[in-house]
Amino acid sequence: MAKTEIKVGFGDQVKAVSVELPKGEAKPWDADAQLEVVGKPIPRRDGALKVSGRAKYTYDVNLPGMLYAAVVRSPLPAAKVVSVDTSAAEKIAGVKAVVQVAEKGDAVLFAGQDVAAVVAERPEQAWQAARAVKVEYEQRRFVTRLAFAATPDAPLVHRGAVEERRTEGHVTEGGGGDAQGNKRPLRPMKKGDVSKGLKGATVHEAVYETQVQTHSALETHGIVARWDDDEHLTVWASTQSIFSVRDELAEVFDLKPTNVRVHTDYLGGGFGAKFGASAPGSRLGTIAARLAKQTGAPVKLMCDRHEEQVCTGNRPDSIQTVKVAGKGTALTAIEVQSIGTAGIGTGAGVGRNAFAVYTKCPNILVDSSDVFTNAGPGTAMRAPGHPQGAFAFELALDELATKLGVDPIELRLANDEHPVRLWQFEEGAKRFDWKAKRAESKRLREGKARIRRGCGVAASIWGDFGRPKAAVVTCSVLRDGSVEIRNGVQDIGTGIPTVLAQIGAEVFTRPLDTIIVRYGDSELGSSVGSGGSQTTSSVTPAVRNACEDAKEKFIEHVAELLGAKPADVSWANDGTLSAGGASITFAQACKKIPGESITATADRPATYGNHPMPFLGAPMPQIAGVQFAEVEVDTWTGVVRAKHVLAMHDCGRVMNRLTCTSQVNGGVILGTSYALMEQRVMDHDVGRMLNPNLESYKICGAADTPEIEVVLTDVYTGANNTGAAGIGEPSTIPTAAALACAVFDALGEPVRRLPMTPSRVLAALGAVPAPKGLG
């Protein structure tokens, strides 16, 4: 390893440090690097294709002779399969095959579980055949209420050990203890002694609840499977992880991974649910491939909206008892006791907000448990656990601030140690006009105005989870003067191909339109799944290394043409290369390339820096964020409107300010929808979801979206050669929390349950009885 001096930090807080770079690693673009293309607001390359309808998604794939599959799902939340009769379905016109997924004696654990599947010439024939499959069940007791499921009297959901399901969307560590009944303890987070921190301090304690939120991607889960021969399978998948699809199908069908080819040209949303060939609650990928093999024809299987809402994953709910104590502006103790349900799955933790943001607090305990219920399994959803935890803890912090008689920002500044987040709190308060707005909300509150306004603030925490060696990138300088970058990464709608082109244009000082990016195909080189905000920080350093290596080889080629040494070749911004009085243009040198191209392949080494603050002591930077929110509340109707959100975020060095801002906008909208609208509603008498659609499952629309102001701060972390970090998760973590704090400011009373519906707002004001909770 070679030692290199780089400049790290942000704003006026920059310092020189010495880092050991792995062999072959390009010097990081640090605070001194002056870049011409990277960081600029470049429109995404596929924008025109998407708005014109020319972009083709998995749903749009149509192959010659393609058949259509449908899945028979259990209507019962808990049962044993007694028999499956497919004879009537097999006689329906156009039906080519019917297969059982559940065998006699198998247990059904939620309403929506796979039981059988059919494939036919037309979708309507497949649906008709699915309805004709007759299944006899032996019904069992079930439980869908979180609080009751956690008690010893509840019927047992799982009758054996439960394996934790983790995907590339779960980037933080998992683990937990053995289940006691339906309750499975998760790994606790602890420091100091909470009981000591409570003594002599002002204490606030309350219970906070969050709901189950579904991913609700516009494009549902789906796959098209085609067997090219007995040993080769090609699929088109709506996925966030091309290579997890490949590896799952290879394992199930005993194939070499290289014999499974996966395409994802465009993806209509994922948010954490689309990893692997199948969905968390349905084996749809293996079903499609199995039916394709059985019929000898390509098979398409797309979930309908009901299936998407019921069996493809969700964000778990939570009941959190939060206890927080302080003296003056110093936090002395934090304790969170939480239970949540991911249905029949795992992963109902509440993130790291309470434990890792306000690190000056010496005594902290966060203790969480999964509680199994007979409902569709949860899975990773944009910042797993963190929005739930942020809502409860940040609102509790504001309630404590009221008891202490201090400003909520002063309390946060006194207990946070991250220099970027401290700056975001202070600078954001100025931009947001915090003091004046809080004074106005106080005036309206004390005057008992009908329409009130309130302001809140909340923090975000995430890590730079860029993965070493996972992305292998090839860069080729072609004879026509173009530069081609190849990697099998999928674009989930965030614009990663545009960012990769910017890296190539920066390294070669070439026009952006001469950089070709090939992606979305497993044959283009291994890559990471798009989860945990790891794509940009995993792939861009590998792209830069490949481009720098190809550029070095190209300079050697030019040196030979000019009769000079490579070290003597100078590269002008206009593409002219000179040495010893002779010169040649880039285009001319390309035409003289021996063969078809000059090519280099590279990957990304392990993270080697974590400035200005590590993520929980790990060898990676901690990503900081703060959001300020302003709401308007009608105290007669209980309607809350989000008016303005100021989002202060860092994601290392910003690669593309336009696409990055777009991601933050999306995170804020998702958080607003979570705070005010979205909620899975279960009928606890029959154990089924009542709103598995986009009509009664309410999602934030244009009229519900606040004015969003985004401030991105370049932070030079020294973590990798591009300095990139992720932004997808951090941008949605604090939104609901900030909105809840703003509602508390407007009303003077907290709304401790999400979503903050009119009935809950009115209940907080004492105007109507409180709605029932998750018990």
Side-chain angles (χ1 to χ4, degrees):
M1 290 191 176
K3 283 199 171 184
T4 304
E5 185 176 280
I6 60 173
K7 296 286 185 67
V8 299
F10 70 100
D12 58 2
Q13 300 183 41
V14 174
K15 63 180 180 181
V17 298
S18 180
V19 297
E20 290 189 352
L21 298 181
K23 184 178 179 181
E25 176 76 348
K27 181 183 176 182
W29 286 329
D30 64 358
D32 283 346
Q34 300 298 311
L35 306 184
E36 298 297 324
V37 185
V38 169
K40 301 301 187 288
I42 307 296
R44 66 187 67 199
R45 293 184 149 201
D46 59 5
L49 294 174
K50 288 182 174 179
V51 299
S52 64
R54 288 176 290 159
K56 300 301 180 186
Y57 294 79
T58 300
Y59 184 88
D60 300 313
V61 173
N62 286 294
L63 303 178
M66 187 174 74
L67 304 176
Y68 298 84
V71 178
V72 180
R73 303 192 180 279
S74 169
L76 302 175
K80 183 174 77 172
V81 176
V82 176
S83 66
V84 180
D85 182 358
T86 63
S87 57
E90 292 166 357
K91 296 174 184 177
I92 291 175
V95 171
K96 297 299 182 182
V98 183
V99 298
Q100 284 187 225
V101 180
E103 302 295 333
K104 179 180 179 180
D106 284 355
V108 169
L109 299 180
F110 73 98
Q113 185 171 318
D114 303 342
V115 177
V118 300
V119 65
E121 294 173 350
R122 297 294 306 150
E124 60 271 18
Q125 294 169 334
W127 299 332
Q128 181 185 1
R131 290 191 293 269
V133 174
K134 297 177 181 178
V135 185
E136 183 183 351
Y137 300 96
E138 178 187 298
Q139 295 192 46
R140 291 175 172 173
R141 291 181 65 215
F142 65 89
V143 58
T144 55
R145 291 185 185 275
L146 169 58
F148 177 55
T151 68
D153 296 330
L156 201 60
V157 174
H158 292 286
R159 303 193 178 193
V162 180
E163 182 178 347
E164 184 175 19
R165 181 184 184 272
R166 295 183 64 79
T167 69
E168 288 170 278
H170 297 90
V171 289
T172 53
E173 65 181 23
D178 295 331
Q180 301 294 320
N182 290 322
K183 193 172 181 180
R184 172 182 175 265
L186 302 178
R187 194 191 307 271
M189 292 180 282
K190 181 179 180 180
K191 74 173 183 179
D193 185 339
V194 168
S195 62
K196 290 183 179 179
L198 296 174
K199 292 179 180 178
T202 299
V203 179
H204 168 73
E205 181 176 3
V207 177
Y208 302 82
E209 296 185 9
T210 62
Q211 75 281 32
V212 170
Q213 178 187 27
T214 67
H215 295 74
S216 301
L218 285 181
E219 182 188 32
T220 62
H221 281 69
I223 192 167
V224 177
R226 182 190 70 199
W227 288 89
D228 303 312
D229 56 46
D230 287 345
E231 298 295 326
H232 292 83
L233 174 62
T234 300
V235 302
W236 291 257
S238 179
T239 182
Q240 294 175 243
S241 179
I242 282 174
F243 290 91
S244 69
V245 173
R246 183 197 71 174
D247 293 347
E248 180 182 330
L249 292 173
E251 181 179 357
V252 170
F253 293 99
D254 195 22
L255 300 172
K256 295 178 181 178
T258 52
N259 287 0
V260 180
R261 185 174 185 179
V262 182
H263 299 272
T264 302
D265 296 331
Y266 296 94
L267 175 71
F271 312 112
K274 292 181 177 177
F275 290 95
S278 297
S282 178
R283 287 172 277 179
L284 62 95
T286 56
I287 288 171
R290 177 182 171 186
L291 290 170
K293 192 161 194 175
Q294 184 170 329
T295 59
V299 169
K300 176 188 280 188
L301 176 53
M302 298 292 301
C303 289
D304 63 20
R305 181 55 57 184
H306 182 283
E307 293 172 305
E308 186 71 13
Q309 296 292 82
V310 166
C311 64
T312 65
N314 54 68
R315 186 190 297 284
D317 60 11
S318 72
I319 300 175
Q320 302 173 60
T321 301
V322 179
K323 190 182 296 183
V324 58
K327 296 178 181 179
T329 57
L331 295 179
T332 58
I334 298 168
E335 182 179 356
V336 179
Q337 298 287 339
S338 174
I339 59 172
T341 183
I344 65 169
T346 60
V350 291
R352 300 175 181 274
N353 298 77
F355 186 77
V357 174
Y358 303 104
T359 48
K360 286 187 179 180
C361 180
N363 307 294
I364 305 177
L365 173 64
V366 179
D367 211 346
S368 305
S369 294
D370 282 325
V371 176
F372 300 117
T373 57
N374 293 106
T379 193
M381 184 170 182
R382 204 166 182 176
H386 287 68
Q388 301 97 296
F391 159 72
F393 180 69
E394 295 277 357
L395 181 52
L397 208 56
D398 268 28
E399 293 185 69
L400 176 67
T402 299
K403 291 181 178 180
L404 293 170
V406 300
D407 185 277
I409 288 184
E410 290 180 18
L411 187 59
R412 288 165 170 82
L413 287 172
N415 292 280
D416 196 341
E417 295 180 282
H418 196 301
V420 177
R421 206 159 40 232
L422 291 172
W423 178 85
Q424 290 168 336
F425 275 124
E426 293 176 333
E427 179 63 20
K430 296 175 187 174
R431 290 174 181 251
F432 195 70
D433 201 10
W434 173 264
K435 290 184 178 180
K437 287 183 176 179
R438 293 278 292 193
E440 174 63 10
S441 64
K442 181 180 179 182
R443 184 187 70 80
L444 293 171
R445 186 174 65 247
E446 292 180 345
K448 300 188 183 302
R450 172 186 172 180
I451 305 298
R452 301 184 195 174
R453 285 188 171 249
C455 298
V457 65
S460 176
I461 180 174
W462 201 248
D464 173 15
F465 296 104
R467 290 171 53 196
K469 310 297 182 183
V472 177
V473 176
T474 300
C475 174
S476 298
V477 183
L478 306 179
R479 296 186 69 186
D480 65 0
S482 61
V483 176
E484 183 180 83
I485 295 167
R486 299 191 296 279
N487 180 251
V489 69
Q490 58 288 313
D491 180 18
I492 63 172
T494 55
I496 189 65
T498 306
V499 171
L500 303 190
Q502 288 178 261
I503 303 293
E506 190 71 55
V507 171
F508 285 97
T509 61
R510 300 296 298 153
L512 197 60
D513 60 6
T514 67
I515 310 299
I516 301 166
V517 178
R518 303 201 184 281
Y519 65 99
D521 183 341
S522 59
E523 292 198 347
L524 294 174
S526 64
S527 199
V528 297
S530 296
S533 300
Q534 63 181 312
T535 307
T536 305
S537 63
S538 295
V539 182
T540 60
V543 170
R544 186 180 171 208
N545 278 338
C547 289
E548 296 283 5
D549 290 350
K551 181 179 181 181
E552 186 175 336
K553 290 182 179 181
F554 187 77
I555 289 174
E556 292 173 357
H557 161 66
V558 170
E560 186 174 339
L561 294 176
L562 299 180
K565 295 179 181 179
D568 296 332
V569 175
S570 62
W571 192 313
N573 287 338
D574 65 359
T576 301
L577 295 101
S578 307
S583 64
I584 189 171
T585 67
F586 183 85
Q588 290 169 338
C590 287
K591 290 178 181 179
K592 296 179 182 293
I593 290 175
E596 296 300 318
S597 66
I598 291 175
T599 298
T601 298
D603 57 22
R604 175 206 198 275
T607 296
Y608 44 79
N610 54 18
H611 299 278
M613 186 173 178
F615 178 71
L616 297 180
M620 66 179 74
Q622 181 185 142
I623 300 169
V626 170
Q627 290 184 10
F628 294 78
E630 184 176 14
V631 299
E632 183 180 270
V633 185
D634 187 330
T635 60
W636 289 10
T637 66
V639 172
V640 177
R641 297 195 181 280
K643 303 298 290 183
H644 177 211
V645 171
L646 169 62
M648 311 281 294
H649 285 280
D650 102 69
C651 57
R653 177 187 279 274
V654 177
M655 297 287 101
N656 182 323
R657 301 197 91 78
L658 184 61
T659 58
C660 188
T661 298
S662 179
Q663 281 207 64
V664 176
N665 287 339
V668 170
I669 294 170
L670 181 67
T672 301
S673 197
Y674 180 57
L676 301 179
M677 294 186 171
E678 295 187 50
Q679 182 175 22
R680 183 188 71 181
V681 179
M682 295 291 291
D683 184 327
H684 297 296
D685 292 328
V686 298
R688 299 182 66 173
M689 184 178 178
L690 289 174
N691 57 339
N693 50 59
L694 293 183
E695 180 181 11
S696 52
Y697 183 92
K698 298 298 184 183
I699 291 177
C700 195
D704 310 301
T705 300
E707 174 193 353
I708 303 171
E709 181 184 355
V710 179
V711 176
L712 298 171
T713 306
D714 281 307
V715 179
Y716 310 105
T717 64
N720 59 67
N721 65 41
T722 62
I727 194 61
E729 263 78 8
S731 61
T732 201
I733 290 170
T735 310
L739 289 168
C741 291
V743 170
F744 175 46
D745 180 46
L747 302 179
E749 298 290 343
V751 179
R752 299 189 180 121
R753 291 180 60 200
L754 294 184
M756 293 180 288
T757 57
S759 62
R760 290 170 183 170
V761 171
L762 294 175
L765 290 170
V768 299
K772 288 184 179 180
L774 295 175

